[in-house]
Amino acid sequence: MTETLIFICAGTMAAATPILFAAMGELVVERTGVLNLSIEGMMATGAAAAFAVATVYESSLLGFAVATISAGLLSVVFATLTLIFLANQVAAGLAVGILGLGVSALIGKKHEGFTIEPLKSVDWGFLSDIPVVGRILFQHDFVLYAGILLIAIVWFVLTRTKLGLIIKAVGEAPEAAHAIGYPVILIRFLAVFFGGAMAGLGGAYLTLAYTPLWAEGLVAGRGWIAVALVVFGSWRAHRVALGAYLFGAISLLELSIQGLGLAIPSQVLSAAPYVMTIVILVLISRDARQIRLNSPASLGVTYRHQS
Amino acid sequence: MSRLRVEPRVTESVIAQYLVPVVAIVLTLLSGTVLFTFLGKAPSAVLYTFLIEPLTSRFGIGEVLLKMAPLLLIAQGLAIGFRARVWNIGAEGQLIIGGIFASVIAIHYNESESTWILPAMVFAGMLGGIFWASIAAYLRVRFNANEILVTFMLSSVALQILYFLVTGPLRDPDGFNFPQSVVFADSALFGVLIEGTRANTSLLIGLTLSVLAYVFIRHSLPGFKLSVSGAAPRAARYAGFAESQAIWLGLIIGGAAAGLAGVGEVAGPIGQLQRTISPGYGFAGIIVAFLGGLHPIGICLAAFFMAILYVGGDMALISVGIPNAATTIFQGMLLIFYLASYLFVHYRISFQGRAAAT
């Protein structure tokens, strides 16, 4: 029993990490008032690019770097469409998302069926040897810890710094932010790039550490769940992070229930994260007033300089 | 110093509206050719297999019409919702549930030769699509849950339901445990439309729906209300058009059309229920809807073009060795270039030489 619990807790942290990166990125993007629905495609591109590079050059680090850049490039396409060509953000997100899925399939095709050595765990010395807690918290790779650091950084920047104030001002009232001299378009552009890069990192974590292999459809809706988590977390870093870990646990359900020997069809368990997303969205969105209060006022609205 | 400026037009440019899809297609083909030249394929061969080869044989044209049917249905349904800014992106799931509903009838009455089987399947498939879309409509209207996310999640759920059914309750008992149902009887299949091809009469449903969509948008009050809700939400509220009505109507119409597309697949080229009943028609339908300018006639042309891309993609895989992913990439690029060029419908670029210099 303890073994199962340790397995679930440690596994939750790993399963949550890809969604965590993507959701933290999307949080920052949405805080500037931009709704990026192409996260799924960016994660897929990051995942495929990272895996391709890692198998060819045998370097995970290079894989993460290339994933960040390639998903970042995709996000530049999205940013250009929505911020410069003033396209509808929903439609643009779908378009770039589909492109990303196509690109990932093209890149990944040649590397299907290969596996690579997953990332090594960080050596925490005696901490890793603590019973139970050590195995849950201190036997993971460095990227997982970077994810936890990311929560702290995003939280700190959004709530405690001037940059956070500017980001929120741009998201709440772009006209006003422009009037006091902030470059609204540039700030949004950079935020979208950051969001894309983080989605790419999340995707890379899937193929380089979590699975570690590439197959088409591997991302399996995680990008969309990340978007939903930002709503779930009411646009606040710590709540979004909590949501990511919750979903990590749910996605482990399949393995753990099979471990317990319960006869539940595997499809029911595979559908669980999607059903849970819907349930959570319903519970959170029920109070329309609360959502209006928490969501960035200009979210999804096209902005153009009135100069 | 002179500089370029983007200025809003007083009225939408009609010429630009017609040009946008053309420009999007040309730019997509150009970029696609560059991409595959870069990957070591001859540009002429790529363009030929994707665009010309599907139309050079009776078989090819039949395949194009076959794939056009579901794309046309889905896009016409989605476009009506999109006009009202009801973002149903889960047509794939509505198609699957529609296919399942229709299959249940075909499997249950597999011995029957009644001419009522197919009409019953069409009806059931439509209900299935409506049912699946209604969940999203209800959750949005009652609980304010974002329909984009809900419809997408429901698609993933629908796929799992399909997997469950074909490995269990609806599996062919004599099928050596393959995850598929019995093969449907002839009474449960659409008739062939053109002799010697696989194109079937479900295309006629799509064309009929296109005419209905035109009438609905142009000549009906609910259609008008939907368009106003999308174009000017505040005006719509002021006029007393309920937002909830637009959401229900938009999703139900989209779901019904996608459900019909599902029937067309299981009672058409597939002829049974299996794990894969759509190669992403639900998502391609979104692109067809936009590429057609959300207009019924434009959508007919766009669905025909997208069907060529699908068939061309299959042919390119065989003859030039281009992976299937190319079709998805082309789809993404089409919508990207469409959205980018759409700027010129509402805005124009003006060249301000002197004004900026002073």
Side-chain angles (χ1 to χ4, degrees), chain A residues 81 85-86 88 90-92 94-95 98-99 102-103 105-106 224-225 228 265 267 270 274 278 281-282 285-286 288 304, chain B residues 6 8 87 89 139 143-144 149 152-154 156 160 163-164 167 287 290 323 325 328-329 332 335-336 339-340 343 347:
Chain A
L81 262 185
F85 285 90
L86 310 177
N88 176 294
V90 173
L94 295 173
I98 290 171
L99 179 70
V103 169
L106 188 69
W224 291 95
I225 290 177
Q267 292 89 0
S270 302
Y274 313 119
I278 296 174
L281 270 176
V282 166
S285 314
R286 215 174 26 172
R304 198 178 84 87
Chain B
V6 178
W87 298 107
I89 62 164
L139 296 181
F143 297 109
N144 190 37
L149 294 167
F152 179 85
M153 294 299 155
L154 283 174
S156 303
Q160 295 301 330
Y163 289 170
F164 172 71
T167 48
I287 294 165
F290 276 106
T328 316
I329 292 178
L335 189 49
I336 288 171
L339 293 170
L343 176 76
Y347 298 90

Side-chain angles (χ1 to χ4, degrees), chain A residues 42 45-46 49-50 61-77 193 196-201 204:
Chain A
M42 294 182 186
T45 300
L61 222 52
L62 196 61
F64 280 110
V66 171
T68 312
I69 294 166
S70 53
L73 282 178
L74 261 187
S75 73
V76 168
V77 176
F193 183 80
M198 288 305 113
L201 264 183

Side-chain angles (χ1 to χ4, degrees), chain A residues 117-169:
Chain A
E117 193 74 11
L119 291 181
K120 281 196 188 60
S121 302
V122 178
D123 186 7
W124 290 93
F126 72 95
L127 286 176
S128 310
D129 300 329
I130 305 172
V132 186
V133 177
R135 285 177 58 196
I136 293 174
L137 294 179
F138 298 109
Q139 293 192 4
H140 296 289
D141 53 80
F142 75 97
V143 183
L144 186 143
Y145 298 113
I148 296 170
L149 191 64
L150 180 67
I151 306 171
I153 294 173
V154 170
W155 175 83
F156 183 77
V157 169
L158 285 180
T159 58
R160 296 284 183 275
T161 65
K162 191 177 176 202
L163 176 63
L165 278 178
I166 298 172
I167 287 176
K168 285 186 278 192

Side-chain angles (χ1 to χ4, degrees), chain A residues 240-260:
Chain A
V240 175
L242 188 74
Y245 286 109
L246 184 67
F247 270 85
I250 293 170
S251 62
L252 269 192
L253 214 63
E254 193 167 352
L255 291 173
S256 37
I257 287 197
Q258 274 166 1
L260 292 173

Side-chain angles (χ1 to χ4, degrees), chain B:
Chain B
M1 208 179 91
S2 60
R3 56 184 292 212
L4 293 171
R5 275 174 53 99
V6 178
E7 286 184 342
R9 293 181 195 269
V10 181
T11 53
E12 291 185 0
S13 162
V14 178
I15 301 170
Q17 251 169 355
Y18 286 112
L19 275 177
V20 164
V22 179
V23 171
I25 289 173
V26 171
L27 288 177
T28 300
L29 292 176
L30 273 178
S31 331
T33 312
V34 170
L35 174 69
F36 287 106
T37 311
F38 185 67
L39 292 175
K41 314 284 178 195
S44 57
V46 173
L47 282 178
Y48 178 80
T49 36
F50 261 97
L51 290 181
I52 315 290
E53 204 183 335
L55 301 175
T56 50
S57 66
R58 195 187 181 84
F59 170 78
I61 293 171
E63 290 297 294
V64 170
L65 295 178
L66 180 74
K67 294 199 182 336
M68 181 181 167
L71 291 169
L72 181 62
L73 272 168
I74 293 169
Q76 295 289 16
L78 290 183
I80 288 173
F82 288 171
R83 280 173 163 262
R85 298 193 187 221
V86 176
W87 298 107
N88 172 8
I89 62 164
E92 188 78 4
Q94 291 140 24
L95 179 155
I96 290 172
I97 299 295
I100 291 174
F101 271 46
S103 298
V104 168
I105 292 183
I107 294 165
H108 191 73
Y109 295 102
N110 199 31
E111 308 295 319
S112 169
E113 285 169 15
S114 165
T115 47
W116 287 101
I117 295 290
L118 191 60
M121 286 170 70
V122 169
F123 186 67
M126 202 165 73
L127 278 186
I130 291 176
F131 163 60
W132 212 238
S134 296
I135 300 175
Y138 176 75
L139 296 181
R140 168 68 204 273
V141 169
R142 177 76 179 74
F143 297 109
N144 190 37
N146 182 307
E147 82 277 15
I148 306 173
L149 294 167
V150 173
T151 49
F152 179 85
M153 294 299 155
L154 283 174
S155 278
S156 303
V157 175
L159 194 63
Q160 295 301 330
I161 293 176
L162 175 65
Y163 289 170
F164 172 71
L165 291 175
V166 291
T167 48
L170 295 181
R171 184 175 57 190
D172 179 3
D174 307 319
F176 306 102
N177 270 341
F178 278 112
Q180 52 196 33
S181 75
V182 290
V183 176
F184 296 172
D186 283 348
S187 56
L189 297 176
F190 282 107
V192 166
L193 191 65
I194 304 167
E195 205 60 42
T197 69
R198 297 203 297 162
N200 65 47
T201 45
S202 73
L203 179 61
L204 301 180
I205 301 181
L207 293 172
T208 312
L209 197 87
S210 304
V211 176
L212 289 178
Y214 187 84
V215 175
F216 179 78
I217 289 169
R218 280 300 171 86
H219 301 289
S220 81
L221 184 60
F224 174 70
K225 282 184 178 178
L226 276 181
S227 301
V228 175
S229 307
R234 283 162 78 183
R237 261 199 300 279
Y238 187 67
F241 302 165
E243 195 194 12
S244 60
Q245 208 184 350
I247 293 165
W248 273 108
L249 208 55
L251 274 158
I252 282 179
I253 293 174
L260 284 172
V263 186
E265 291 309 291
V266 294
I270 303 173
Q272 63 183 161
L273 198 62
Q274 57 178 39
R275 279 174 68 93
T276 311
I277 60 173
S278 157
Y281 288 140
F283 298 106
I286 298 171
I287 294 165
V288 172
F290 276 106
L291 195 63
L294 302 184
H295 187 282
I297 298 171
I299 288 171
C300 288
L301 299 172
F304 184 67
F305 177 75
M306 186 64 85
I308 295 177
L309 273 190
Y310 261 106
V311 179
D314 289 344
M315 291 177 164
L317 178 68
I318 298 162
S319 60
V320 205
I322 289 178
N324 258 161
T327 312
T328 316
I329 292 178
F330 279 138
Q331 286 173 0
M333 288 200 294
L334 270 174
L335 189 49
I336 288 171
F337 286 125
Y338 180 89
L339 293 170
S341 359
Y342 207 82
L343 176 76
F344 300 102
V345 173
H346 292 296
Y347 298 90
R348 63 169 167 222
I349 304 286
S350 72
F351 192 68
Q352 290 196 322
R354 275 172 303 168
T358 49

